[in-house]
Amino acid sequence: MRKSRLIYLVIILLLASFSEVYGQGHPARRGRNVRENMFVLRTLRMTQALDLTEAQTAAIFPELNRAEKEKAQLQADLAREIRELRQLINNEKVEDREFEDRVAKILDLREKIKRRESEFEKFLFTQLTSAQKARYIIFDIDFNRGMMERMGRARLAGKENK
């Protein structure tokens, strides 16, 4: 009973946080729902895999939401920079310095995303027991691998339907 109550608490916290994380400053776009769904799925599975307590959930989720919001903004900036780089590549009258500047911005954004992920993981580890830390490492690897496999299968199924 206690575990199901915690799962419901997690769902309520996640749904309430979506307006803050995704609702402000982000235009509606196709990838937004996918990102939201991935965030909810990952968070619920993480809660179950780590067997988080209510106190841990209350401490971790606000930081998780902040990290997700910051990463979403950085990834939107990265996507914009990549689109602009593609346009530069197609332009014949571009100086090397413009390419260098754009590449430097992209590398910087990629580094910021990695840094934010690392900061969250360090925070998370201050909230977990040793066994939970070990379960998180396994969860993270398995979840990411599973999602990549599912996306690959979905991509292949989409090609077959065309």
Side-chain angles (χ1 to χ4, degrees), residues 4-159:
S4 66
R5 207 172 104 207
L6 180 61
I7 297 298
Y8 290 125
L9 175 66
V10 168
I11 292 169
I12 290 168
L13 287 171
L14 288 173
L15 293 175
S17 69
F18 275 147
S19 63
E20 177 185 334
V21 174
Y22 293 102
Q24 300 173 2
H26 294 283
R29 55 186 180 252
R30 186 174 153 234
R32 187 172 131 197
N33 288 336
V34 172
R35 184 178 187 85
E36 288 176 12
N37 291 341
M38 290 283 293
F39 178 71
V40 170
L41 179 63
R42 182 176 174 79
T43 304
L44 288 173
R45 294 250 176 104
M46 183 177 82
T47 302
Q48 293 171 330
L50 303 184
D51 195 22
L52 296 176
T53 66
E54 288 182 39
Q56 287 174 314
T57 301
I60 292 168
F61 282 0
E63 179 60 24
L64 178 61
N65 286 326
R66 277 190 293 278
E68 182 65 17
K69 183 177 180 180
E70 289 174 23
K71 280 178 38 186
Q73 182 59 54
L74 289 168
Q75 288 170 337
D77 294 345
L78 179 61
R80 185 189 70 248
E81 291 294 335
I82 291 171
R83 275 192 309 276
E84 291 175 10
L85 179 62
R86 287 181 194 279
Q87 290 172 350
L88 282 178
I89 289 172
N90 293 328
N91 186 344
E92 294 176 11
K93 298 178 182 178
V94 178
E95 295 185 25
D96 284 347
R97 187 72 200 146
E98 290 182 71
F99 284 121
E100 292 295 330
D101 289 345
R102 191 69 57 188
V103 168
K105 286 179 185 178
I106 289 169
L107 293 175
D108 181 57
L109 286 166
R110 288 170 60 187
E111 183 59 37
K112 285 179 180 177
I113 292 167
K114 288 178 191 173
R115 196 173 326 130
R116 187 59 181 111
E117 289 171 349
S118 178
E119 288 170 5
F120 172 73
E121 194 169 90
K122 286 178 186 174
F123 166 79
L124 178 65
F125 279 19
T126 67
Q127 304 297 314
L128 301 178
T129 66
S130 297
Q132 286 174 319
K133 290 174 191 175
R135 286 197 301 263
Y136 175 78
I137 296 295
I138 300 303
F139 161 78
D140 190 49
I141 292 167
D142 289 349
F143 183 85
N144 291 335
R145 181 184 307 131
M147 291 311 297
M148 294 301 289
E149 289 172 0
R150 284 181 184 91
M151 288 188 299
R153 286 193 301 267
R155 198 174 297 123
L156 286 175
K159 287 181 181 179

